[in-house]
Amino acid sequence: MRSVDSPVPWRTALKIAGAAATALPPERVPLGAAVGRVLAEPVHAGADLPGADAAAMDGYAVAGTGPWRVVGRVLAGGPAWAGALGPGQAVEIMTGAVVPPGAVAVLPYETADLTGATGWTKAHIRRAGEDARAGDELLRPGRVVTPAVAGLLAQAGADDVPVRRRPAVRLVVTGDEVVAAGVPRAGQVRDVFAPMVSALVTAAGGVVADRVLLPDDAGLLAGCLAATDADVVVVTGSSSAGAADHLHRVLDELGARRLVDRVACRPGRPQSLAALPGGRWVVGLPGNPYAGLVACVTLLQPLLHGLTGAARPPAPRLSVVGDVTLTPPATLLVPVRLAGDHATVVPGSRPASLAGAALADALAVLEEGWHSGDPADLMMLT
C-alpha cells in the first residue's frame, strides 16, 4: 500500500491513469453492434475494392472516340455486358454497374455528347482494386469503429468484427444524505453521479453494469468493492479525509495498490485511483458534483480508454479569456465555451455546482503562469 504525502500533479495523475491498464480481451460482435467499439485486430480486405471496373456516374460507357452508337444498357446489380465494346460503341449504364471491357470512359447524362464533338475530361470509372487489393490492411487495431469505418468494413465483406470488450463499471454512490430520486428535502442531496458518470462511461466506451447507493458504512463499502466482477468500481463521496470517508482504509484492508491518492488541482483534490487484487480498478471521486466531474476527466476517462485500447483524444489548445484567479501550484480546471478561435470562461463555477459545466463545451486546464488570453489545453465535454 502506497501513501503519498503531497498531491500528485494534475498532468502526472492524467498520465498515471492512462498508462495504468492494458486493453481488455477481444470479442467478436455483429457489424451493426460494433459502432463505438475499438478494433482489437487488423482488418484486411477480403477481395479487391471495388471488385471490378464500375461506373461512378449514371450515363454512357463509351469505347474509342466519338461519335458513339448506343447498343444496349447495363444496370447496377444486373448481368454484365457480354463481350467487349468496340470502337464507336456505347452502352447506357447506371452508377455501380460493371463497365464493359473496352470502355474508356463514362459520360454523365448531364454532359454527355454522343457525337464526340466535346470529348471528355474525366473517365468516371472506378477501377478494380483502386481502393484496396485483396489482403491489404484496411484498418489497424485501436481504431474506433465510426459510421464511416462500419461502412468500410461492410465494403470489405465483414459480418462480424473483432473488438475490445467494453469495461464493466459498478457505480457506488455513498452518503447518508443522498437520495436516488425526486426533489431532496432539507439536509438531503440528489444523486447526480448516476446520470453524469453513466454518460461519461458510455462516451468512453464502457458500460455501467450496476449502481449501488450506500450509507456511510465502511463494512458495506468493503463488501461492495469485493463482491463484484466489474472491471472498474467508481466510488463517490468517500475519498476525502472526513469521519465518514472510508475509502482509503477499505482499500488498504483489501490489499489494494494505490496509484493516486490526491491530485493537485482545483476542484477535485480528493480523488484517487487504486488497483485491487485480481486486476480490477477503483476510482474515488469527490462528493461535490463539479469536483467529481473534474475527477472523472482526470482519472476515470483515461483509465477507460486504456481498458478499451483506444487512444486518448488529443486535447485542443486555444486561447482562453476570462477573469480567473490562480492559486499555484494547483492546476485549475474551469468550464469554458468555444467562441471561434478562442474559449471564454463560464463565470461562477463552484465545486458543488454543475451550473457552469452544464453551459460549457470543455474544461480549460489553467496552470501556473497563465493569464487571460493565453492558450490552454481543453478537455472536451461534448
Side-chain angles (χ1 to χ4, degrees), residues 133-333:
R133 291 292 182 183
D136 284 354
E137 183 177 275
L138 298 178
L139 297 162
R140 299 183 61 81
R143 183 75 169 90
V144 175
V145 181
T146 63
V149 168
L152 178 60
L153 291 171
Q155 279 186 324
D159 295 315
D160 53 51
V161 184
V163 293
R164 293 294 175 185
R165 180 170 66 79
R166 289 186 185 273
V169 177
R170 164 172 270 195
L171 175 57
V172 181
V173 180
T174 70
D176 295 333
E177 75 283 11
V178 181
V179 295
V183 178
R185 299 192 302 269
Q188 296 180 329
V189 295
R190 175 70 182 268
D191 169 25
V192 303
F193 286 99
M196 184 172 75
V197 174
S198 296
L200 184 142
V201 167
T202 300
V207 58
V208 175
D210 67 338
R211 185 200 69 165
V212 181
L213 188 61
L214 287 184
D216 292 315
D217 183 287
L220 292 176
L221 179 58
C224 207
L225 295 185
T228 180
D229 294 328
D231 302 293
V232 181
V233 182
V234 178
V235 181
T236 75
S238 191
S239 59
S240 191
D245 296 311
H246 306 295
L247 180 59
H248 287 171
R249 177 163 62 86
V250 168
L251 289 174
D252 290 344
E253 291 172 353
L254 294 176
R257 179 170 55 92
R258 286 196 254 159
L259 281 71
V260 176
D261 283 310
R262 292 171 295 161
V263 178
C265 67
R266 294 179 48 241
R269 176 183 169 108
Q271 55 180 292
S272 58
L273 172 65
L276 287 172
R280 295 180 297 120
W281 301 91
V282 177
V283 177
L285 308 180
N288 279 326
Y290 179 51
L293 176 63
V294 168
C296 284
V297 169
T298 304
L299 297 181
L300 180 57
Q301 271 188 329
L303 177 69
L304 293 174
H305 287 148
L307 289 168
T308 62
R312 185 167 67 88
R317 190 169 177 83
L318 288 179
S319 169
V320 175
V321 178
D323 184 12
V324 177
T325 301
L326 297 182
T327 56
T331 299
L332 182 64
L333 286 92

